[in-house]
Structures are given as structure tokens and as C-alpha cells.
Amino acid sequence: MKTVKFNYLPKHCIGLPLVLLISCGQQENTDTFDTPVSGRDTVYIEETLFPYFLKVKPIYDSVFEHAKITLIPVNARRGMALLFADSANCVILARDYLHDEDSIMKSLSLPFKQIEIAKDGLVFYVRRSLDIDTVNIIQIRDILQGMSKFSFQNIGFENAFHIPSKQSSEYANVLSHFTEKDQPLRASFKFHDNRDSLKQYIRNHDAIGIGFMSDILKDSSLKPLRIGYTDTTNKRIPPQIVHPGFIVQNMYPLVVPIFAYMKNEKQNLAWGFATFMEKDPSVQKILLNEGVVPSHARYNLIRED
């Protein structure tokens, strides 16, 4: 079987498999209060993304010495609640609006704005030693919706999918990808207090966990399942290795958007922080090294046999 290898390297490394080419712009700084480059504000970041943005914040701080941004971790549902309660100017989450949130926003004509910073992938994973390697997305969908007589329990797995809480972006992305209008899922779920306890459980049981690609690929004791699917042209796509390179190529079926949600379109300090996270080349490089795919970087992918 042929394998595909993608390496992510700085743009000055010529001739290597993947080169990240990003144009760098200049930022001006002023000491005016609450401008895009100065003032004080708090940005709420989903727990699973929080370590990534802690790593990039020193870059922001070094560029904008008059800007004081505080980062606070929250679960995804709490972050969205803060936005709707007019208690946050910026919330960064690894998911899109749920149906109820989108309906409320439109009915009230709320002026929220999304800035897409990067992409991740939703993965179904098991412990590394198990024989199972692949799954079909239709099979997953039918099990989640209660439309299939097949169950993973038929092949020796626990019946329930293991996932962080219902407040997590993982659960929200399952709803987005596998239901219409966020209807309840009919599959059995086991919810865990945190992602570390979830992964520890999967390491010790014949069970299937649900997580994010950037997190699960860092753990060599776990194995994300390769997913076969049918694309928008009805072409059958065989299971590929689970790797961010396939998100870049639009060849991974369960893409997760990472959005900065802005309370409004005002170009204030929170907006300045979000756009810096979106476009700065040094930030993009660190996010890429953490396993998420910056949305506005340029890539040169080379497939290796």
C-alpha cells in the first residue's frame, strides 16, 4: 500500500515536502485606548484550543505592547453563552453555530461576526493495539441516527461512543456533521469529565472515542480510524491516513472550523487580536505545528509514495 507523507516546514527550507508560504504585513501600534492595537480585553477560548493560543500569545504581546489581552478557557457552550449574553467581545471555538444558536441570532438580528482562523478534524479513535483501522462514514451516520442494525458491539466493541461533555465542541461537531437541525442522536454516548480521562479510558478498553485530529495524533497509544466517504460529486473516496494534509486538500470528510466569534463588526481590540491570530505568519506556523491547519496560509503539498 502506498503511504502519503506530509511535512510542514518553514518557507526557507527549499525542496522539502511541504512549504508554508505566508506573506508578512506590518502592524502599527498606538497607545489610544481600545483600538485594534491597544487597550484591555478578555478573550474566551475553548479548553481544547487553549494551549495552542497560549503558545502564540507571546508573539502578539511582543508586537502590541499597549494591548493587554487576557485569555480564559471555557467549554464551547459556555463560550457561546457569554457571547449571546453580551459578556464577551471575542470567543474562539472549534465549531460553527448550532441550529438553535443560529435561529436565535437571526431572529434577533444579532450582529455577530465569524473570523475563521484555522481548521481541525473530527476523528473516531481506538487504542493502537486493536485490529480495526477503517470505517465508512455512512456506517457511522446510520449508527448515530439509529438507522442501522449493525453495531460496533457486534465486533466486540462497547456499544457507546465515548466523548467529552455535551457542552464540548466535539459533541457539537457530531451534531453538525451527522444530523439535520441538530436533532437528537439515537446512539449511546458515554460522557467524560475531561479529555484526558476519556483518552485514558480508550487506552484500556475496546471502545471508540470521539476527539479532534490535532489532539489524538499527538498520542502514539491511540489510533484515529481512517474514514471512507462519498464526496459531493458522488465519487467514492477510499479511507486515507488521518493527517492534516488531507484537510488542506479538502479530502477529509469531517472538517472542524476554528472561529473567532466577534460580538459585532467593530474594529476594536478583540477584533485586532482575532485578525492577528488569523493572518500573522509566526502564529500560523505555531498553529500548524500543533496540528491545526491555518485557513489563510498558502501550502505546497508534495505526495510521496
Side-chain angles (χ1 to χ4, degrees):
M1 176 184 291
K2 293 184 178 181
T3 61
V4 180
K5 179 181 180 182
F6 297 95
N7 293 324
Y8 297 86
L9 297 165
K11 65 180 179 180
H12 54 76
C13 296
I14 299 174
L16 294 173
L18 179 62
V19 182
L20 176 61
L21 300 172
I22 308 168
S23 60
C24 183
Q26 295 293 322
Q27 297 273 359
E28 291 186 358
N29 199 356
T30 72
D31 56 4
T32 304
F33 183 75
D34 199 23
T35 73
V37 297
S38 66
R40 295 178 179 273
D41 207 342
T42 297
V43 174
Y44 297 89
I45 301 181
E46 186 180 352
E47 299 151 327
T48 187
L49 301 174
F50 189 70
Y52 307 162
F53 286 91
L54 274 184
K55 287 188 177 182
V56 301
K57 188 173 182 293
I59 299 173
Y60 175 85
D61 292 339
S62 68
V63 174
F64 303 110
E65 61 182 26
H66 298 292
K68 306 301 179 185
I69 290 286
T70 300
L71 304 182
I72 295 180
V74 293
N75 67 52
R77 196 69 167 179
R78 171 62 177 163
M80 194 64 74
L82 288 168
L83 189 69
F84 275 84
D86 199 22
S87 299
N89 287 319
C90 179
V91 178
I92 299 178
L93 306 175
R95 69 168 177 86
D96 207 336
Y97 294 111
L98 294 180
H99 177 70
D100 62 333
E101 297 161 348
D102 187 59
S103 297
I104 293 171
M105 183 186 66
K106 290 176 179 176
S107 66
L108 298 179
S109 299
L110 297 174
F112 297 163
K113 177 180 174 62
Q114 289 176 319
I115 296 175
E116 186 177 289
I117 295 173
K119 296 181 177 72
D120 206 336
L122 188 72
V123 297
F124 293 77
Y125 66 96
V126 298
R127 58 187 171 94
R128 177 69 57 180
S129 59
L130 293 180
D131 291 335
I132 185 172
D133 293 300
T134 65
V135 68
N136 187 277
I137 198 166
I138 296 176
Q139 187 180 43
I140 295 175
R141 182 201 66 194
D142 288 350
I143 293 172
L144 288 169
Q145 294 181 358
M147 297 170 57
S148 175
K149 294 181 180 180
F150 174 82
S151 167
F152 286 109
Q153 198 171 18
N154 300 146
I155 55 175
F157 282 83
E158 292 183 13
N159 187 47
F161 291 96
H162 291 257
I163 193 168
S165 75
K166 283 189 175 182
Q167 313 304 316
S168 69
S169 278
E170 288 93 336
Y171 189 74
N173 278 283
V174 171
L175 290 174
S176 295
H177 282 288
F178 294 103
T179 68
E180 293 184 5
K181 297 185 178 180
D182 306 328
Q183 294 299 313
L185 296 165
R186 298 184 181 278
S188 297
F189 287 91
K190 170 66 176 177
F191 296 101
H192 292 254
D193 291 336
N194 59 70
R195 293 168 181 84
D196 288 336
S197 65
L198 190 163
K199 289 184 286 187
Q200 184 60 34
Y201 186 92
I202 298 298
R203 292 186 194 103
N204 295 309
H205 295 83
D206 293 347
I208 295 177
I210 300 175
F212 288 143
M213 186 186 297
S214 63
D215 181 35
I216 302 306
L217 287 180
K218 293 184 178 77
D219 192 328
S220 61
S221 68
L222 301 173
K223 177 171 58 177
L225 299 176
R226 305 181 186 195
I227 300 176
Y229 67 100
T230 302
D231 68 14
T232 55
T233 67
N234 285 326
K235 179 181 178 181
R236 296 181 66 179
I237 307 298
Q240 308 282 351
I241 60 170
V242 179
H243 192 281
F246 287 100
I247 295 178
V248 175
Q249 298 179 87
N250 296 317
M251 291 181 63
Y252 190 74
L254 302 177
V255 172
V256 171
I258 298 174
F259 287 123
Y261 288 87
M262 313 304 301
K263 185 171 68 174
N264 51 48
E265 296 190 8
K266 182 180 178 182
Q267 295 187 6
N268 54 17
L269 182 60
W271 176 87
F273 178 82
T275 54
F276 189 81
M277 296 298 106
E278 173 195 22
K279 296 178 180 178
D280 181 77
S282 298
V283 169
Q284 290 178 332
K285 181 180 176 182
I286 291 174
L287 293 178
L288 194 59
N289 288 338
E290 290 298 321
V292 298
V293 177
S295 299
H296 301 284
R298 294 175 56 204
Y299 304 93
N300 180 24
L301 293 167
I302 297 176
R303 181 181 290 265
E304 294 184 346
D305 292 337

